[in-house]
């Protein structure tokens, strides 16, 4: 892995941690105070973290100038698969098998972190990495 990809990966990790904080805090608030079953707490928290993570990673990690609706549609497609699977599995583990709902949520977050990075890097932003204004300014400064 070259230096540029290492930095990109570290940025993704950092933004994913911040999205994870949003997800776990919103999950905790909903789980402890709203009296909802596992699945709506998880689903609402996941949506909030996805919006945050997509926005930051598009601009700063992948520095993509691609069409936002197209990129968002690709991410939506990923979540059309990930969300039902993780929600059903998480609900089964928490509600049926009695696993701790926080452990289940953290496991889902880790699975999401790995698979979303790969999907974003090789599908969503594959052809548009380093094409936004931030990347162009950095390239111009480096070439001087």
């Amino acid at each position: 892995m070259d230096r540029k990809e290492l930095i990109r990966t570290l940025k993704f990790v950092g933004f994913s941690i911040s999205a994870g904080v949003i997800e776990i805090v919103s999950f905790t608030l909903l789980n402890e105070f709203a009296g909802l079953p596992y699945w709506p707490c998880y689903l609402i928290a996941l949506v909030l973290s996805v919006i945050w993570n997509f926005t930051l990673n598009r601009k700063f990690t992948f520095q993509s100038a691609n069409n936002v609706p197209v990129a968002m549609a690709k991410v939506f497609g990923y979540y059309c698969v990930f969300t039902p699977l993780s929600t059903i599995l998480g609900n089964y583990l928490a509600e049926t098998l009695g696993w701790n709902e926080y452990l289940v949520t953290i496991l889902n977050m880790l699975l999401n972190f790995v698979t979303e990075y790969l999907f974003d890097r090789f599908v969503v932003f594959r052809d548009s990495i380093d094409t936004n204004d931030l990347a162009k300014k950095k390239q111009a400064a480096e070439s001087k």
Side-chain angles (χ1 to χ4, degrees):
M1 176 183 296
D2 69 3
R3 186 180 191 303
K4 195 172 199 175
E5 283 304 311
L6 176 62
I7 291 169
R8 189 179 324 279
T9 303
L10 293 173
K11 285 180 186 179
F12 191 86
V13 168
F15 291 133
S16 294
I17 289 169
S18 70
V21 169
I22 289 170
E23 185 171 342
I24 203 71
V25 167
S26 56
F27 176 82
T28 299
L29 292 171
L30 291 165
N31 188 55
E32 297 299 326
F33 301 112
L36 298 171
Y38 175 83
W39 74 267
C41 296
Y42 169 70
L43 197 56
I44 293 166
L46 178 65
V47 168
L48 293 173
S49 73
V50 166
I51 292 168
W52 173 266
N53 207 29
F54 173 82
T55 303
L56 294 177
N57 278 312
R58 180 183 172 276
K59 182 169 183 166
F60 298 109
T61 302
F62 298 106
Q63 297 185 349
S64 174
N66 69 350
N67 186 310
V68 174
V70 170
M72 204 47 130
K74 289 176 182 177
V75 171
F76 180 75
Y78 164 84
Y79 279 101
C80 282
V81 174
F82 181 82
T83 303
L85 291 176
S86 63
T87 303
I88 291 167
L89 177 62
N91 196 65
Y92 176 76
L93 293 173
E95 301 292 333
T96 304
L97 297 183
W99 285 31
N100 179 281
E101 56 271 340
Y102 294 98
L103 172 64
V104 172
T105 300
I106 290 168
L107 290 173
N108 272 332
M109 290 168 66
L110 291 171
L111 179 62
N112 179 239
F113 164 72
V114 172
T115 58
E116 186 177 4
Y117 176 80
L118 294 172
F119 190 79
D120 283 354
R121 173 65 180 86
F122 296 109
V123 177
V124 177
F125 302 113
R126 176 187 61 202
D127 296 325
S128 68
I129 291 175
D130 296 333
T131 58
N132 72 6
D133 289 341
L134 290 173
K136 289 177 183 175
K137 286 177 187 174
K138 185 175 182 183
Q139 290 166 359
E142 290 172 354
S143 65
K144 288 184 180 181

